[in-house]
Amino acid sequence: MMLSKSILELLACPTCNNPQLQVGSARRPALVCEQCDQAFPIVDGIIDMTPSERNPAPGSYRTETLFNLIAGIYDLVAPLMSMGVWRCDPLRYVDMSNQALGRGNKGVVVAAPIGTGMPLDRVLAPYHDLTLIGVDQSWKMLRKAKSRFAASGEKVQLIRADFQQLPFRDGVVDSLISFHGLHTFADRTKTLREFGRCLRADGFMTGAALVRGQEGVADTLLDRYERYGVYPLLRTAEFLTRELREGPFQEVRFSTYGAVMFYSALRNGLEQAHIEDAS
Ligand SMILES: C[S@@+](CC[C@H](N)C(=O)[O-])C[C@H]1O[C@@H](n2cnc3c(N)ncnc32)[C@H](O)[C@@H]1O
Ligand SMILES: [Zn+2]
């Protein structure tokens, strides 16, 4: 599979931030960072940009394993859970996707997490002038997304990466969609800072997350999730919005439908200079 030049121009090494990645010359396709001597294999068109010698951060490994396990039933279960437990019409995601793609304004849209590619496959057709990149750390989710987009004929570049170390250059993303991301992130603050780094000033971010304090049945299940260590701390909509505002975002808006909080925000207009990792 040929990697388009336009995609290569958006990428940087997730370890050393070197923007000059080369297409490798070895037999197996790969992107190579000559600065830190890493090769990122391209497997079935999916670029694996997880740092090769990374020790999995505590927590993220469990998340990855979990999603590899549930990828097979995710498309069946997610809409049922959405209606029956979280009490949110799945069509809301379609609306939000359209909004996020529209804000991409013929530029670069990143879906992080892309999951299995739902519901983007259904709404992408009119946005043929966008560059769409889907990121996830779960191979199984990515493979599902791959066959979904192959079936719908949509062109989406899939990348395996950790959201805490995204393989993008600073400020290259116009719009970022994060459906059911926030509540699964091991370190939300760090991840939001990383999303902010990749977005251009005034870039658009939208997403959905499960929150507590809205629905009785949902709360009971979310309490269990937390007790069994499925997801990190799950908070209320107000708490999450505060976190967004404290991060590199402004004009934070949200509304809740059942236990699902939909939010949108703009990357604030500060200098795009590398945002220092304060942790
Ligand atoms: C609940 S799924 C959501 C999928 C899809 N966006 C949707 O709404 O159906 C959460 C996804 O986030 C991914 N994920 C969670 N934490 C991640 C991280 N730190 N880096 C990369 N992917 C992550 C998981 O692999 C999983 O596929
Ligand atoms: Zn590097």
Side-chain angles (χ1 to χ4, degrees), residues 46-116:
I46 303 171
I47 319 171
D48 185 356
M49 300 200 73
T50 42
S52 47
E53 284 160 61
R54 182 183 66 129
N55 293 320
S60 68
Y61 186 66
R62 188 188 52 203
T63 312
E64 184 180 351
T65 314
L66 172 77
F67 285 107
N68 276 335
L69 280 173
I70 65 172
I73 54 163
Y74 190 80
D75 290 348
L76 202 70
V77 172
L80 294 176
M81 292 279 282
S82 191
M83 287 190 293
V85 182
W86 315 129
R87 304 254 171 221
C88 173
D89 184 339
L91 283 176
R92 299 251 175 228
Y93 298 95
V94 174
D95 284 353
M96 289 300 278
S97 301
N98 272 314
Q99 201 184 334
L101 294 168
R103 291 293 196 116
N105 198 21
K106 305 184 184 174
V108 177
V109 177
V110 166
I114 185 75
T116 63

Side-chain angles (χ1 to χ4, degrees), residues 13-18 21 33-38 40:
C13 173
T15 307
C16 73
N17 300 321
N18 168 22
L21 300 178
C33 173
E34 287 175 352
Q35 198 165 288
C36 72
D37 201 23
Q38 267 188 104
F40 303 105

Side-chain angles (χ1 to χ4, degrees), residues 63 67 74 113 115 136-138 141 161-163 179-180 184-185:
T63 312
F67 285 107
Y74 190 80
D136 208 290
Q137 70 187 356
S138 155
M141 287 289 201
D162 183 342
F163 299 147
F179 286 151
H180 289 237
T184 72
F185 300 158

Side-chain angles (χ1 to χ4, degrees), residues 158-221:
L158 296 172
I159 297 181
R160 178 168 181 255
D162 183 342
F163 299 147
Q164 293 188 31
Q165 274 176 287
L166 284 171
F168 300 117
R169 301 183 191 182
D170 295 357
V172 292
V173 179
D174 296 282
S175 177
L176 189 144
I177 316 176
S178 187
F179 286 151
H180 289 237
L182 273 187
H183 64 267
T184 72
F185 300 158
D187 187 335
R188 271 194 305 274
T189 312
K190 206 167 168 194
T191 308
L192 288 173
R193 217 183 301 132
E194 183 66 350
F195 282 175
R197 179 188 68 79
C198 300
L199 279 163
R200 66 168 163 76
D202 297 324
F204 186 71
M205 178 171 79
T206 187
L210 293 175
V211 289
R212 282 196 275 206
Q214 306 289 329
E215 285 284 325
V217 181
D219 271 1
T220 312
L221 188 57

